[in-house]
């Protein structure tokens, strides 16, 4: 058994964007954020199988109530699409293609929400980069088919680095080769590997 994000990482390691990379990170942007970490050419699961579960990263903290904001919930691609859908009064609030028509056309309201989203992703990419120092970070999920996503995340990283002098990381970010189907290819790869081990 393997979860969808780990399967996506396996697919990209097998035949995709991180093939032949020793150290890499795969982030799957969807209803939450799935992750897979590759160390020394292998999927790293951790002592309790929680390595790469980036949705649980805390990126907001209230010192009075001790409540946190979770990266996966605050940076849900689905929720970002819903926000823009509501602003533009779309009938189907999950219509990502319609939302990206607004984003790609430079609509001011859509871009404000999208840029905030990309900034939050960029901050955590920098954090992850300092922990793992990967050769490559691959972004998957349905929205990874939109070239503007990687473009805006890279732009956000550059802007953050300009304002914060301590940042020295320069993450290399690409879209997953298998895009939204990576988990399916990874499940096949995991199944084949499991059969070899029997």
């Amino acid at each position: 058994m393997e979860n969808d994000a780990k399967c996506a990482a396996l697919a990209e390691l097998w035949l995709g964007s991180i093939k032949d990379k020793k150290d890499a990170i795969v982030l799957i942007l969807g209803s939450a954020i799935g992750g897979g970490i590759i160390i020394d050419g292998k999927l790293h699961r951790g002592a309790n199988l929680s390595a790469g579960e980036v949705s649980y990263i805390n990126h907001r903290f209230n010192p009075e109530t001790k409540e946190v904001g979770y990266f996966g919930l605050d940076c849900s691609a689905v929720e970002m699409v819903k926000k823009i859908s509501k602003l533009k009064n779309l009938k189907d609030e999950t219509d990502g293609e319609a939302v990206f028509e607004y984003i790609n056309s430079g609509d001011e309201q859509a871009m404000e929400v999208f840029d905030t989203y990309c900034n939050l992703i960029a901050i955590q990419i920098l954090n992850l980069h300092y922990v793992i120092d990967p050769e490559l970070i691959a972004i998957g999920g349905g929205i990874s088919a939109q070239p503007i996503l990687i473009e805006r995340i890279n732009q956000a990283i550059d802007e953050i680095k300009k304002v914060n002098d301590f940042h020295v990381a320069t993450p290399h970010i690409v879209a997953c080769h298998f895009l939204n189907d990576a988990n399916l290819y990874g499940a096949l790869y995991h199944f084949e590997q499991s059969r070899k081990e029997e």
Side-chain angles (χ1 to χ4, degrees):
M1 296 291 289
E2 204 66 84
N3 73 19
D4 56 348
K6 301 290 192 302
C7 283
L10 286 170
E12 296 300 317
L13 181 63
W14 178 32
L15 295 171
S17 58
I18 61 171
K19 184 180 179 183
D20 300 325
K21 300 298 181 193
K22 285 189 69 177
D23 300 310
I25 297 171
V26 175
L27 297 177
I28 306 301
L29 310 183
S31 55
I33 299 182
I37 296 172
I38 306 301
I39 295 178
D40 200 22
K42 297 173 186 171
L43 181 66
H44 180 67
R45 293 178 175 85
N48 300 292
L49 305 179
S50 62
E53 297 297 328
V54 296
S55 271
Y56 297 104
I57 289 175
N58 306 150
H59 75 132
R60 284 185 295 106
F61 177 69
N62 184 322
E64 293 180 6
T65 65
K66 307 298 187 251
E67 292 177 309
V68 299
Y70 293 102
F71 177 41
L73 298 180
D74 289 352
C75 295
S76 161
V78 171
E79 292 304 315
M80 181 268 293
V81 165
K82 285 181 182 177
K83 279 183 191 174
I84 295 173
S85 296
K86 287 175 184 172
L87 286 171
K88 306 318 290 182
N89 297 312
L90 298 178
K91 289 180 182 177
D92 180 1
E93 65 178 19
T94 62
D95 188 346
E97 289 185 8
V99 162
F100 270 94
E101 284 181 21
Y102 283 104
I103 292 169
N104 285 311
S105 70
D107 179 86
E108 191 173 330
Q109 286 182 313
M111 287 306 297
E112 185 176 347
V113 174
F114 184 61
D115 281 341
T116 297
Y117 177 79
C118 290
N119 278 316
L120 293 173
I121 298 290
I123 288 165
Q124 293 305 334
I125 283 176
L126 283 167
N127 286 340
L128 291 166
H129 193 278
Y130 287 117
V131 175
I132 307 295
D133 193 17
E135 299 167 73
L136 205 61
I137 296 175
I139 307 288
I143 66 171
S144 65
Q146 298 286 337
I148 196 171
L149 175 72
I150 305 299
E151 175 190 318
R152 284 292 184 170
I153 291 172
N154 277 319
Q155 184 179 331
I157 287 171
D158 288 342
E159 289 169 355
I160 292 165
K161 287 175 66 177
K162 280 179 188 173
V163 175
N164 300 280
D165 295 338
F166 283 169
H167 277 304
V168 294
T170 305
H172 184 190
I173 304 165
V174 299
C176 284
H177 175 75
F178 293 109
L179 301 174
N180 207 31
D181 291 330
N183 56 344
L184 301 176
Y185 286 95
L188 172 62
Y189 177 71
H190 178 64
F191 174 70
E192 292 295 336
Q193 293 300 110
S194 298
R195 285 179 61 192
K196 287 178 184 176
E197 292 169 6
E198 288 177 356

